[in-house]
Amino acid sequence: MRHLLAFVLLLAIGGCHMWSEEEPVIAEAIADLDAALTRAVQAAGLPGDVARKPRPHPCHSETRHGAGVDIDGASEEPAKTVAAVLASWRREGLTVVSDQTGDQKWPQATVRGRLIEMTITGFPDRKAVWIWGSAACLEGEVPDSWRSVL
């Protein structure tokens, strides 16, 4: 009987905890995206001040917001850069959605985190890489520094 009572109590506490958790807000997703992109830029060997181009996300509505970012950078060996960034993402524990690092024409990798998704594509013919990231579509206030995406 004590085991049953302990189980019921544990279930009740766990259930209350589940309902007490709040959905993350867009500011949290954007902070995660910003930090993840900074790490990706470092793993790619791009300059820290490489231009980031914020983009609106198609999910935008009056109550929910999303954001995307494009980053273009030069790379002498785009395939190796894509592989290095994917290795970095794996070490971070991000979920690999697509691994096409062996593609000779456009090596590419896509990963997903709790609130973000990122892709890196290599362009060997141009000696360039393109990194794209997006934040989940969530409620909340968009940080001032990201207002241009609305």
Side-chain angles (χ1 to χ4, degrees):
M1 183 65 175
R2 277 193 304 210
H3 294 299
L4 179 61
L5 184 59
F7 176 73
V8 170
L9 182 61
L10 182 62
L11 190 61
I13 291 170
C16 290
H17 178 68
M18 280 181 18
W19 280 301
S20 68
E21 287 186 29
E22 292 182 22
E23 181 181 67
V25 293
I26 188 62
E28 182 181 351
I30 287 174
D32 284 359
L33 178 62
D34 196 39
L37 286 171
T38 297
R39 293 188 300 273
V41 163
Q42 290 170 345
L46 301 176
D49 61 351
V50 67
R52 295 180 183 208
K53 298 171 209 117
R55 305 269 187 235
H57 196 283
C59 74
H60 178 72
S61 70
E62 285 188 32
T63 59
R64 298 180 84 74
H65 309 287
V69 177
D70 291 325
I71 299 172
D72 292 306
S75 172
E76 285 299 313
E77 297 184 72
K80 285 185 178 181
T81 301
V82 170
V85 172
L86 178 58
S88 170
W89 286 342
R90 287 182 194 272
R91 284 190 300 274
E92 290 179 35
L94 296 169
T95 302
V96 177
V97 175
S98 172
D99 177 351
Q100 298 174 5
T101 52
D103 188 306
Q104 297 299 312
K105 190 170 184 177
W106 292 308
Q108 183 179 71
T110 301
V111 294
R112 181 175 296 140
R114 183 173 148 257
L115 301 174
I116 61 172
E117 184 172 282
M118 294 182 295
T119 296
I120 183 168
T121 304
F123 298 95
D125 57 329
R126 295 188 340 222
K127 294 196 178 288
V129 292
W130 172 67
I131 302 171
W132 173 82
S134 70
C137 194
L138 298 166
E139 292 182 349
E141 194 69 27
V142 174
D144 289 338
S145 60
W146 285 76
R147 296 260 178 210
S148 65
V149 302
L150 298 180

